[in-house]
Amino acid sequence: MNRSFIKVMICSFFLIAFSCREKQDEKHDSPIENAKWWKEAIVYQIYPRSFKDSDGDGVGDLQGIIQELDYIKSLGVTAIWLNPIYTSPNADNGYDVSDYRDIMKEFGTMADFDSLLAGMHQRDIKLVMDIVVNHSSDEHEWFKQSRSSRDNPYRDYYHWWPAEKGEPPYRYSLFDAKGDAWQYDSITDAYYLHYFAKKQPDLNWSNPKVRQEVYDIMKFWADKGVDGFRLDAFQFAAKNTTYPKFPDGFESDFIQYYAMQDGLHGYLKEMNEEVFSQYDVMSVAEGAGRNFEDAHKLVDQNRNELNMAYAFEGVDIPKYEGYDLKTMKDVFTKWDKEFAEDGWLSIFLANHDQARMVSRWGNDSDEFRSASTKLLNTFILSMRGTPYCYYGDELGMTNIDFDSISQYQDIAAINGYQKAVSEGEDMELFMKKLNFGSRDNGRTPMQWNNSEHAGFTNGKPWLPVNDNYVDINVEDENADQNSVLNHFREMTRLRKQNPVLVYGVYELVAPEHPDIYAYTRILDDKMALILLNFSEETSEIKLKDEWDNHSILINNYSDVEFFENSVKMRPYQAIIFNIER
Ligand code: GLC
């Protein structure tokens, strides 16, 4: 294309859709080294409590997910990560398991689980289970036994500190209002350890019996045919409980002291030998350790530990005060470079522990919500690494506006509030930050249609539905060719048709550009150029001469404006070009 004069090129959505469909049959012919199904997977994360309620109790359930499997299939995703569905007293919404081999009553039965898995497999969708074994619930039989007497056979399933030894060395609890991770238990006059809430006692991984119990649980699910495991908080599983004192203020950097302690890699190698190597399952760890070296040790192929990890440096960038695009580019680029040769990572901008993607990373105003969500979905689905897309982000669901602590349900929010009060924090600021960043934002019910409670339930939803469901919902977005939802579908189709978007080498373009995140992906003779304008202003970027021969693969506006040898990008415009080489 000759760009030596001013010209405006109009590409209608229909044309783009047509050109994408034309490419559907195109196959990549050169074999890709180390190709794996889990690298090519597009994972859709479902928070079951909030997805679809089939029985009117206000809580989502497995039958609800079954009802929506055709919808999930229509998204073009190839796997589902389900947050925990095991029996639980729900101190932390299922992340406190009291029976690892049974289904939480509110979610259904094992028969429901079996038909969910069968329905997914019929549709070629894989299932990744959440395995929560850094800790159990205090209502798990193991813990009931363990706390009952000092010589109970289950005593060493958990970490205990006898009171006669004096105060245990201080450990910080992420979820406790007082911040103390040792809880005194009068039954045996001893303290037990809980890095999270009091009702989540930490399992003692140095005990081989605990490890065997866990492998047996994983085999139970693998034998049922599940396709993968997400290891919750596993980087904390090996613990240093006796070192007398961590430096003052270590809480603000607790990862340095809690993650990847001695023994962890041994446990993972053993788990790999016992479970992962015996089944065709993928494995992903929450957390990637303290540095690149830790992360490599977790996921490099010859290590025989895990397939991939979620590194949090990226998702931690946006703050209540905003964030800087340059930082985002630097962080995602350095993680990509570091794992270009060996190891594999996940790509995500949201999950159940974050507020909504578009409210943190994009712009959730009426004017820009749609364009900026499309831009963020373009990003996730065009980077190297396995993309994890959080339910509702395919619609552009936003944060909810809670103004009183009584509206929050999340244990982290409630305990955090109590702690802030007791420490005399500026509560006005605290509430603003909570409103922006609370996990409850990301857990409001899925918005299916504009009927009462957004079609999520016939009962009273466990967490309020966002008022904007009348405008943002599946039914309306299905009917709108230009919706966020249909753009998401177009993106998953593109990723699946173009291995360059999965395996291609990533190269950052114009690193100093203040508004536009631009990068190329290259695989053999294929090249894609991705341009993302993260600003609410128009912004320009120069194209290199060697990219002259290009065509548009996807665009979240109906046209692209070229100006001499630049692209003039509209607010939050996101374009992927195919570049002929
Ligand atoms: C992980 C989960 C989070 C949970 C915590 C304790 O970080 O993602 O939701 O609260 O572990 O299990």
Side-chain angles (χ1 to χ4, degrees):
M1 181 177 296
N2 182 354
R3 280 179 279 104
S4 59
F5 56 92
I6 301 172
K7 96 176 152 184
V8 177
M9 206 185 82
I10 308 288
C11 294
S12 77
F13 254 93
F14 299 102
L15 273 180
I16 298 162
F18 179 70
S19 72
C20 293
R21 235 159 263 138
E22 256 189 344
K23 293 202 167 70
Q24 223 161 3
D25 297 322
E26 221 175 71
K27 284 250 154 41
H28 186 82
D29 39 20
S30 72
I32 292 163
E33 217 189 317
N34 287 325
K36 299 277 186 240
W37 70 261
W38 41 264
K39 294 184 180 173
E40 293 167 21
I42 301 175
V43 185
Y44 185 62
Q45 184 192 345
I46 293 183
Y47 199 64
R49 177 164 285 271
S50 302
F51 195 62
K52 183 83 190 255
D53 173 21
S54 72
D55 59 6
D57 66 356
V59 173
D61 47 45
L62 301 187
Q63 280 297 339
I65 302 173
I66 292 171
Q67 284 170 13
E68 297 301 341
L69 281 178
D70 286 337
Y71 167 73
I72 296 166
K73 180 73 185 170
S74 82
L75 297 176
V77 299
T78 60
I80 294 175
W81 155 25
L82 270 190
N83 289 101
I85 54 169
Y86 320 100
T87 309
S88 163
N90 282 313
D92 185 19
N93 288 353
Y95 282 97
D96 46 323
V97 180
S98 55
D99 185 347
Y100 291 96
R101 287 186 175 81
D102 205 355
I103 304 293
M104 191 189 300
K105 282 207 176 49
E106 290 148 298
F107 288 177
T109 63
M110 194 57 90
D112 294 331
F113 174 83
D114 292 339
S115 50
L116 172 63
L117 186 60
M120 288 175 61
H121 285 169
Q122 268 159 22
R123 291 168 178 81
D124 258 339
I125 301 173
K126 297 193 187 285
L127 176 60
V128 178
M129 296 287 275
D130 215 321
I131 291 288
V132 191
V133 286
N134 169 69
H135 45 269
S136 72
S137 162
D138 65 343
E139 297 182 32
H140 194 290
E141 189 55 32
W142 299 335
F143 190 72
K144 289 186 191 161
Q145 295 283 339
S146 183
R147 83 189 320 176
S148 66
S149 76
R150 286 191 181 192
D151 54 11
N152 186 283
Y154 287 90
R155 185 67 170 180
D156 289 340
Y157 271 43
Y158 296 86
H159 299 279
W160 289 99
W161 184 273
E164 64 274 16
K165 277 172 68 181
E167 291 269 304
Y170 172 66
R171 290 293 179 269
Y172 156 73
S173 158
L174 281 78
F175 286 178
D176 189 76
K178 288 199 236 67
D180 192 343
W182 286 106
Q183 172 67 30
Y184 179 71
D185 200 45
S186 59
I187 303 172
T188 55
D189 192 26
Y191 300 82
Y192 67 85
L193 189 67
H194 61 92
Y195 276 2
F196 293 91
K198 272 204 284 275
K199 283 186 69 64
Q200 295 169 297
D202 286 341
L203 284 160
N204 176 8
W205 272 77
S206 68
N207 181 347
K209 285 194 201 143
V210 168
R211 304 204 295 272
Q212 202 52 55
E213 297 264 19
V214 171
Y215 307 145
D216 288 349
I217 289 164
M218 294 172 86
K219 287 180 199 165
F220 170 83
W221 292 100
D223 285 336
K224 277 187 169 287
V226 308
D227 308 285
F229 296 104
R230 174 232 184 222
L231 300 183
D232 180 68
F234 199 77
Q235 57 177 353
F236 303 146
K239 292 189 169 62
N240 174 343
T241 56
T242 52
Y243 184 76
K245 190 162 160 45
F246 289 158
D248 288 344
F250 82 92
E251 298 92 324
S252 60
D253 197 15
F254 69 92
I255 296 280
Q256 295 302 325
Y257 300 90
Y258 281 15
M260 318 299 292
Q261 295 299 305
D262 288 351
L264 191 87
H265 292 295
Y267 305 153
L268 284 172
K269 285 189 193 309
E270 191 179 67
M271 185 184 284
N272 187 302
E273 211 175 294
E274 287 262 349
V275 187
F276 304 143
S277 62
Q278 308 297 320
Y279 301 85
D280 183 18
V281 288
M282 62 90 109
S283 53
V284 51
E286 187 194 20
R290 301 156 299 190
N291 47 40
F292 287 146
E293 197 189 331
D294 280 351
H296 272 299
K297 285 185 175 164
L298 288 173
V299 299
D300 282 3
Q301 205 168 331
N302 64 1
R303 297 276 307 172
N304 293 327
E305 293 188 18
L306 299 170
N307 295 140
M308 63 179 117
Y310 307 96
F312 280 91
E313 193 176 350
V315 87
D316 285 344
I317 294 170
K319 300 280 181 275
Y320 164 69
E321 297 79 9
Y323 75 95
D324 169 38
L325 180 65
K326 177 81 177 27
T327 310
M328 177 182 188
K329 293 187 199 184
D330 288 349
V331 169
F332 280 94
T333 302
K334 78 178 182 192
W335 279 92
D336 179 87
K337 289 262 165 292
E338 186 61 36
F339 290 84
E341 301 298 326
D342 203 358
W344 190 258
L345 296 171
S346 319
I347 292 289
F348 65 108
L349 295 178
N351 63 29
H352 65 291
D353 292 330
Q354 313 286 332
R356 277 285 163 192
M357 174 176 84
V358 67
S359 303
R360 295 183 76 224
W361 292 93
N363 184 325
D364 61 10
S365 66
D366 288 349
E367 192 177 359
F368 296 125
R369 182 193 61 85
S370 167
S372 68
T373 312
K374 290 173 184 171
L375 168 136
L376 297 168
N377 284 330
T378 307
F379 173 72
I380 300 175
L381 291 161
S382 65
M383 287 290 284
R384 181 161 49 185
T386 301
Y388 286 73
C389 309
Y390 189 52
Y391 87 93
D393 284 348
E394 78 275 24
L395 307 175
M397 277 175 58
T398 68
N399 275 0
I400 192 164
D401 200 8
F402 286 161
D403 49 18
S404 141
I405 190 65
S406 62
Q407 291 168 291
Y408 289 89
Q409 295 269 345
D410 177 22
I411 188 167
I414 294 164
N415 288 348
Y417 178 87
Q418 285 165 7
K419 190 159 184 245
V421 170
S422 70
E423 289 173 0
E425 270 191 43
D426 172 350
M427 291 313 287
E428 201 183 328
L429 182 62
F430 179 89
M431 287 307 288
K432 280 188 186 151
K433 286 188 175 174
L434 196 61
N435 190 281
F436 171 78
S438 157
R439 308 197 294 181
D440 280 330
N441 282 305
R443 298 175 177 184
T444 61
M446 178 70 170
Q447 297 168 198
W448 293 102
N449 55 45
N450 60 17
S451 70
E452 205 190 3
H453 307 313
F456 163 68
T457 180
N458 296 326
K460 182 173 181 296
W462 73 277
L463 190 66
V465 173
N466 196 314
D467 287 341
N468 62 20
Y469 74 92
V470 285
D471 298 316
I472 305 170
N473 63 66
V474 173
E475 197 173 296
D476 288 359
E477 293 200 25
N478 258 333
D480 172 4
Q481 177 75 28
N482 291 335
S483 65
V484 176
L485 176 59
N486 281 319
H487 177 270
F488 181 87
R489 290 179 171 133
E490 202 63 27
M491 267 312 302
T492 56
R493 178 155 48 198
L494 264 190
R495 187 170 177 98
K496 288 191 289 191
Q497 285 161 4
N498 293 280
V500 64
L501 294 179
V502 177
Y503 294 107
V505 172
Y506 160 100
E507 198 64 54
L508 184 64
V509 175
E512 301 303 326
H513 199 299
D515 304 323
I516 296 176
Y517 190 165
Y519 47 97
T520 53
R521 305 287 313 275
I522 299 178
L523 182 68
D524 304 331
D525 60 339
K526 301 283 183 203
M527 173 170 179
L529 168 67
I530 295 98
L531 301 182
L532 309 170
N533 179 12
F534 271 76
S535 139
E536 54 185 70
E537 308 292 335
T538 299
S539 191
E540 278 177 34
I541 184 163
K542 273 202 170 49
L543 297 188
K544 293 184 185 168
D545 288 343
E546 66 258 36
W547 298 339
D548 209 31
N549 196 350
H550 59 242
S551 54
I552 294 167
L553 289 177
I554 192 164
N555 175 15
N556 63 347
Y557 278 71
S558 58
D559 59 359
V560 177
E561 189 170 344
F562 292 100
F563 180 81
E564 297 183 336
N565 58 349
S566 298
V567 180
K568 207 168 166 184
M569 299 190 74
R570 295 188 172 77
Y572 297 106
Q573 188 161 18
I575 312 166
I576 303 185
F577 290 103
N578 173 49
I579 310 275
E580 288 301 327
R581 303 193 330 130

